[in-house]
Structure formats: C-alpha cells, structure tokens
Amino acid sequence: MRQLIKFSLFDAGNSVCPMLVLSALTSSYFVNHIVADEQLGTALWQLTIGISGIFIAFAMPYIGNAADNMINGRLKLLRLFTFLCILFVGCFYFILPNQEYVLTALVILFLGSVTYEASNSLYNSIMKNCSTNNLTLSSGIGFGTGFLGGVLILVLLLYTLILPQPNLFGISMDNYLHLRFAHIILAFWFLVFCLPLLYFSQLTQETAISENKISQKIKNLIWDKGLTNVGKYLIARMLYMDGLIIVSTSVGIFGTSVMGLSISQILMVAIIANISGAIGCYLFGARTKNDKNTIITTLLILSFIVVLISINKNPNAYIVLVVAGTFFAGPLQSSSRVVMANLIPNETQGLGFGLFTFSGKATAFIGPVCAAALTFLISQRAGFAFSIVLLILGAFLMLKVSYEKN
C-alpha cells in the first residue's frame, strides 16, 4: 500500500503537464496573449504537439527497451526525464506576451511534451511494482489522485495568484507576470510530489537480458502468424488516442476563443472537471470487471459528448459537457494502461509501454494536423469535431481484442 501511495503522489505531480500546460493555463496564455491571431495560435499549438508526438513515438520503444536491460533502469530513466520535464515547465516563466516569443514558446512546448511523454511511459512501466493485487483499482486510484492533484494546484493558483488583485504574493500583473510565475509554482509542485516515488521507494525490476534485437522483440509482442492481441490493441489505441489528444489539447482553447470564457473561468471549469474525473476513476476502478469493456463504453459516450460540444453555443452547457466528458475520459485512460500491463510480460514492461506510447503518438500528426487544418480553413468547431471519427474507429477496433483478465 505504501508503494501505491507513492505511485499515486507522482500522478498528482505530473498531472500539471496535461491538465494545465497542454490544455488550460499555458495553451490559453499562448493563444490569447502571445500570438496575435487566435486561430493561428491554436493551429501552431496543435501542430507542435503533433510533431513532438511523432518524435517520442519512435524514440520511446528504444528508451523503454534500454530501461528493461539496465539494472533498475526504468526508475533511473524515470528520474532523468521527470527532472527535464520539470525544467521545461518552469521555462515558460520567461515567455513574455509578445509575438517575438512565439518560436521560443513552441520550442519549450516541444521539449516539455517529449520529456513528459517519456517520463509518463516509464512511470506506467513500474505500475505493477507499485500495485495491489487489483491492478484496475490501483490504476484508478493513481489517475484519480492525479485529477485531485490538479484540483489542489488550480485552487492554489486561482486564490493566491490569479484572482486576487493585488495577488497574495505581491507579484505585478504587468506583462502577465503573475501567469508566467504560475509555471514556477507548477514546476515546484511536480518536483515535490515526484520525490517519494523516485527516491524513497523499494522497487525491484526483472531485467530482460536477451540477444534478440529490438525489432525482433517488437515482432514477438505484436505478430505471431497474424496480429497478436497486443498488436490489435495498439492499433485500436492508436486511433482513439489521436482523437483524445485533439480533445484534451483543444478544449481549453475552445472555451476561451469560441465560448468567450476568460482564463480564470477556464481554470474554474478545470477544477470542477478534475473532481469529476477523479470520481470517475475511483468508481470505475472499484467496480470495473473488464477494462476492455470500460474502454469501449467510455469511447462511445465521449464521442457523443464531443458532438454536443461542437454544436453548442451556450457557455453554461459547455461547462456541463466538459465536466461530464472528464468523468469518462479518466477511466478510459486508466483502463487503457491496465490492459497494456496485463497483455505484456513483466520483464518487458518498459518496451511494452514504449509501444504503448508509440500507439498513442506515432500517428499523432494525423489528429492534431487535421484538426489544425480544419481549424485554419473552416473553424475551431470543425477542428474540434474531427476527434469524433477517431474515437469511434478506436471503439470499433477494440471489439477485435480478446481480453478477459483484469
């Protein structure tokens, strides 16, 4: 149980990256205050995330395989990429609200996204070492704690730095210094919550010593006279994660530029949504009997919610739909990593989750780039709605995966 607590605390720390940097605070700051044109800013943000996804997709299987073959390699590399990610989060402090900083901001975004994804993949690869006998419940607790960590840091930022005028730290609002300083707080938050797992955990690793080349190892996992269950699952996840990337990276921008909400209002929505996501993770984690069924169910429900958001013009309805969507998005991601962990051998969890990252990022350019093109040529509603196609295709292909064990 102590290991699970430390594992969950790490989730509370690293949640600042997808929830605040990629989806809410940083993305909205970039679109509304650094780039002159909102549609162009949205397209550039999505495009950079897509490019970083392609890069980490091809690098992560090699990183994961190296971690498998090192003594306690998964933990050692997890430390490296976590600290690099923390550094790049803090670097957003230096990005001033000026068009001259567009390229610098996108470079930091690229590096931060790559190191976050590497850190997160290695973190998932040690889940079995930190879990109780019920892997589904352990994953749900970890994801739920991540959502609650997001709530706590958002409340801290809102009521000490963003809403009070003057703020409690006495930081000037000139050049949006208070919003930029928030990234220093986010970096420190991540650092504090990652330390128990990285330095105070007794983790053992089954080292995968093999003479096979990595290409042969990958083939053994995904192909045996046809696609294995691992191969089928990775293709399905490749599709639905592209759709989820569009939703998660665009929903905050959609709220500010389409629905007319302020950054403060978006952060309040994020607080409520994170609580909803935590409840969803805890409930599904405690009650789920088959994670494959959870994935299919949540994908179909999310597709319907995205349709409603795309056609909705009422800000209050937008808030309700985002909160409802997060309730199902959390269990979707939690069950996804449980299925992968159960499908691959313990000694190749690093390589397995490297392929897991590959499946979510290899075609990352398709989702964000198509969404960016539709956003630029038609509207942000059209770009956001493109995610529906990918979510439904992923749900259909999940039907082909044979999965019984939980």
Side-chain angles (χ1 to χ4, degrees), residues 313-327:
K313 296 183 179 180
N314 187 308
N316 292 328
Y318 162 84
I319 294 172
V320 172
L321 291 169
V322 169
V323 171
T326 311
F327 179 86

Side-chain angles (χ1 to χ4, degrees), residues 39-57:
Q39 281 194 211
L40 176 61
T42 301
L44 288 173
W45 191 266
Q46 292 172 332
L47 185 61
T48 303
I49 291 174
I51 294 172
S52 67
I54 296 171
F55 179 86
I56 195 62

Side-chain angles (χ1 to χ4, degrees), residues 16-138:
V16 303
C17 294
M19 292 181 183
L20 291 175
V21 176
L22 298 181
S23 298
L25 176 66
T26 313
S27 60
S28 295
Y29 172 66
F30 178 80
V31 169
N32 291 283
H33 303 298
I34 299 176
V35 184
D37 181 80
E38 290 181 352
Q39 281 194 211
L40 176 61
T42 301
L44 288 173
W45 191 266
Q46 292 172 332
L47 185 61
T48 303
I49 291 174
I51 294 172
S52 67
I54 296 171
F55 179 86
I56 195 62
F58 289 94
M60 200 60 229
Y62 291 92
I63 295 172
N65 183 60
D68 286 335
N69 287 281
M70 294 168 57
I71 297 175
N72 220 17
R74 295 171 202 153
L75 181 59
K76 291 177 181 177
L77 292 182
L78 175 60
R79 289 171 180 167
L80 172 64
F81 285 105
T82 296
F83 291 141
L84 286 175
C85 181
I86 290 170
L87 173 66
F88 293 126
V89 169
C91 282
F92 276 107
Y93 168 80
F94 300 100
I95 302 301
L96 298 177
N98 189 302
Q99 292 186 63
E100 295 179 358
Y101 287 85
V102 170
L103 180 59
T104 305
L106 293 176
V107 170
I108 294 174
L109 172 64
F110 174 84
L111 295 173
S113 298
V114 167
T115 51
Y116 165 73
E117 292 297 344
S119 169
N120 197 53
S121 179
L122 293 162
Y123 166 67
N124 286 335
S125 73
I126 66 172
M127 179 170 61
K128 279 190 172 181
N129 300 91
C130 303
S131 174
T132 63
N133 291 331
N134 188 338
L135 194 59
T136 301
L137 178 60
S138 298

Side-chain angles (χ1 to χ4, degrees), residues 15 18-20 23-24 143-152 154-155 158 247-248 251-252 261 264-282 302 305 309 316-331 333:
S15 62
M19 292 181 183
L20 291 175
S23 298
F143 254 101
T145 305
F147 278 115
L148 292 181
V151 169
L152 290 176
L154 273 173
V155 170
L158 278 175
V247 175
S248 63
V251 68
L261 301 180
S264 297
Q265 288 174 312
I266 285 293
L267 292 179
M268 290 299 296
V269 172
I271 289 175
I272 302 171
N274 286 351
I275 295 174
S276 173
I279 294 172
C281 286
Y282 292 141
L302 278 172
I305 290 174
I309 292 176
N316 292 328
Y318 162 84
I319 294 172
V320 172
L321 291 169
V322 169
V323 171
T326 311
F327 179 86
F328 295 103
Q333 296 173 84

Side-chain angles (χ1 to χ4, degrees), residues 33 56 107 184 199 201 208 211 213 226 235 248 273 286 350 360 377 380 405:
H33 303 298
I56 195 62
V107 170
I184 301 296
Y199 287 101
S201 294
E211 296 182 356
K213 294 181 179 180
I235 292 174
S248 63
L377 296 174
Q380 286 173 277
K405 182 181 177 182

Side-chain angles (χ1 to χ4, degrees), residues 5 20 82 93 111 151 170 177 181 183 194 203-204 214 222-223 242 247 268 281 297 318 321 360 393-394 405-406:
I5 292 173
L20 291 175
T82 296
Y93 168 80
L111 295 173
V151 169
L177 179 61
F181 184 75
H183 293 89
C194 78
L203 299 178
T204 58
I214 186 173
I222 67 175
W223 187 269
D242 272 7
V247 175
M268 290 299 296
C281 286
T297 301
Y318 162 84
L321 291 169
L393 282 175
K405 182 181 177 182
N406 234 14

